[in-house]
Amino acid sequence: MATPAQGEPFAEAADEAVQIAAMSVRLVMAVADAVRRHQQRRKKGGEEELPSAGEAVEDAQAALKDSLPQDISVALTAGADWPQLAQQLMALKKAGVDLEQLLPRVGDIAVTVRDQVIANGMLVARERAGAWERTLRETLPAGPVREAILSSPTWPDIAATMARLDERGVDVRRILAFAHDEGLGVDHAVAKTLVAGGAPTTSRDAMLSYGPLTDGLDIPKDLDLGDRTRAFRQLSISPYENEGFVRLVKETMPDREREVSLMVMAKQWPLVAARMAKMESEGKPVKEHLAGLVKDSSWERGQGQLGSRLALATAKVLSHPPGEVPPAGQLKVSTRAARSQSPTVGPAKARVSKGSAPAGPGVAAHRQAGSGVKQAKTR
């Protein structure tokens, strides 16, 4: 995901963190000033007058220069209450407080607050972006448009925009469906201009994956499992989601951490994660299905790499009732999966029976007449 410096929403979040850090400085100084006033009332029967604002501002700016980070210092001096804060600082100095000792400690507190706010904001942003990646997976078919959205440098901004629209009651899924059709037109037009050829041919990874690993999944014909980052992007799996799926398997097999790590590193893992994501979107208990791995030890023996065997076994238990041991046997190519990924019937098109009208070129199966666009709001 993007850093706070990339994109308007993240820049706003970073600015907010600095403002909150400045607020923490004001809080500490207000407490220190209250203690000064209280002590003077007790010892002298009254408070000493504050220095003039003009003199205090100039002296306070010099005191802050080497004690606080520049961004926090600028936020403080730009505030409407800066003259009052400057007077408090100079009053503390006049009362005997060593600002060269106090201000660096205050600066450390402010930096901690700023960094904590930024970290929390990034975590929330990742969670929200992950939720919108799930929305893309559920709304848009695998293909060039969906991958273009997720691979765009402006994806964090796109996700933030969708979140703002959703908060205002706008049907974001409907907009995405329209944008998908328009995006296909743009993709074809640009490809034609660049002489990029026609529709992409089915990749070797997609062909070799036909079977239990992909049966029922929406995968692009140009699936690239050799590039893991791109594979997750093509399958609309966010890093946050992937971490959660890895954690689920580790919790299911606590004594097999090495084997689980080998599976996660295996080439087939993105497809296993995609199946878990699909099950979660359908409300199915992924963890209960994974419990079948404890009963099925057939993956420990056989040909091929251990991680790949465990990935295939995991795909099998995810496709069977929770806790049930899938029947043993040779994995076969799924004709349904192969047919759905064929050059003539891509993942973004539905097979049309005789006598029924096609939904139109490039329209996803789940968006044909009668299915409609989901109206559920996604946060």
Side-chain angles (χ1 to χ4, degrees), residues 66-87:
D66 299 323
S67 302
L68 271 66
Q70 185 178 5
D71 54 352
I72 298 175
S73 178
V74 169
L76 285 171
T77 57
D81 61 345
W82 167 239
Q84 179 183 353
L85 180 59
Q87 287 178 302

Side-chain angles (χ1 to χ4, degrees), residues 51-73:
S52 66
E55 295 179 0
V57 165
E58 185 175 347
D59 293 339
Q61 284 180 328
L64 289 180
K65 184 177 181 181
D66 299 323
S67 302
L68 271 66
Q70 185 178 5
D71 54 352
I72 298 175
S73 178

Side-chain angles (χ1 to χ4, degrees), residues 164-205:
R164 286 196 293 268
L165 289 171
D166 184 67
E167 290 170 358
R168 287 161 177 76
V170 176
D171 187 352
V172 178
R173 291 175 182 266
R174 191 175 186 85
I175 296 177
L176 284 174
F178 174 79
H180 171 265
D181 292 344
E182 295 301 314
L184 283 180
V186 172
D187 180 72
H188 294 159
V190 174
K192 185 177 180 180
T193 302
L194 297 176
V195 197
T201 58
T202 304
S203 68
R204 176 177 172 82
D205 283 337

Side-chain angles (χ1 to χ4, degrees), residues 23 49 74 92 97 117 122 132 150 191 201 207 219 222 231-232 250 252 262 268 279 301 319 324 327 375:
M23 191 183 303
E49 292 186 6
V74 169
L92 286 170
V97 176
V117 171
M122 291 180 69
W132 286 111
L150 294 175
T201 58
M207 293 183 67
I219 65 170
D222 59 343
F232 279 128
K250 287 184 176 180
T252 303
L262 288 174
Q268 299 91 341
M279 293 176 66
R301 303 169 300 279
S319 302
E324 178 181 303
Q375 299 297 320

Side-chain angles (χ1 to χ4, degrees), residues 107-125:
D108 290 341
I109 294 173
V111 169
T112 300
V113 170
R114 180 196 63 191
D115 294 347
Q116 183 178 4
V117 171
I118 290 176
N120 291 341
M122 291 180 69
L123 177 60
V124 171

Side-chain angles (χ1 to χ4, degrees), residues 137-356:
R137 180 174 59 245
E138 296 166 2
T139 307
L140 306 184
V145 177
R146 193 169 79 181
E147 185 180 357
I149 295 172
L150 294 175
S151 62
S152 171
T154 62
W155 161 240
D157 298 322
I158 294 173
T161 299
M162 290 193 292
R164 286 196 293 268
L165 289 171
D166 184 67
E167 290 170 358
R168 287 161 177 76
V170 176
D171 187 352
V172 178
R173 291 175 182 266
R174 191 175 186 85
I175 296 177
L176 284 174
F178 174 79
H180 171 265
D181 292 344
E182 295 301 314
L184 283 180
V186 172
D187 180 72
H188 294 159
V190 174
K192 185 177 180 180
T193 302
L194 297 176
V195 197
T201 58
T202 304
S203 68
R204 176 177 172 82
D205 283 337
M207 293 183 67
L208 292 178
S209 300
Y210 293 154
L213 278 172
T214 60
D215 192 11
L217 293 182
D218 182 21
I219 65 170
K221 290 193 294 184
D222 59 343
L223 178 66
D224 184 5
L225 295 176
D227 184 339
R228 174 153 292 200
T229 300
R230 187 187 178 199
F232 279 128
R233 191 168 62 234
Q234 288 180 304
L235 298 167
S236 302
I237 305 296
S238 70
Y240 180 79
E241 282 184 296
N242 182 52
E243 291 172 5
F245 297 143
V246 173
R247 185 166 56 251
L248 278 179
V249 181
K250 287 184 176 180
E251 291 173 355
T252 303
M253 307 175 71
D255 299 327
R256 298 298 188 95
E257 186 172 346
R258 171 182 170 274
E259 289 83 350
V260 172
S261 297
L262 288 174
M263 175 177 65
V264 172
M265 291 187 293
K267 194 174 184 179
Q268 299 91 341
W269 169 251
L271 294 171
V272 178
R275 185 166 299 281
M276 293 186 192
K278 183 175 186 292
M279 293 176 66
E280 280 195 346
S281 68
E282 296 171 348
K284 295 180 180 179
V286 175
K287 193 170 184 177
E288 293 181 20
H289 280 263
L290 289 174
L293 287 173
V294 179
K295 301 178 181 179
D296 180 17
S297 60
S298 62
W299 55 269
E300 296 181 6
R301 303 169 300 279
Q303 298 179 346
Q305 297 181 344
L306 179 61
S308 298
R309 297 201 303 268
L310 181 54
L312 290 170
T314 304
K316 286 170 61 179
V317 299
L318 291 173
S319 302
H320 287 76
E324 178 181 303
V325 179
Q330 189 72 20
L331 294 175
K332 299 179 180 180
V333 170
S334 168
T335 55
R336 184 176 64 173
R339 189 168 55 244
S340 68
Q341 300 297 329
S342 70
T344 56
V345 183
K349 299 180 182 178
R351 291 186 57 81
V352 182
S353 60
K354 294 181 180 179
S356 62

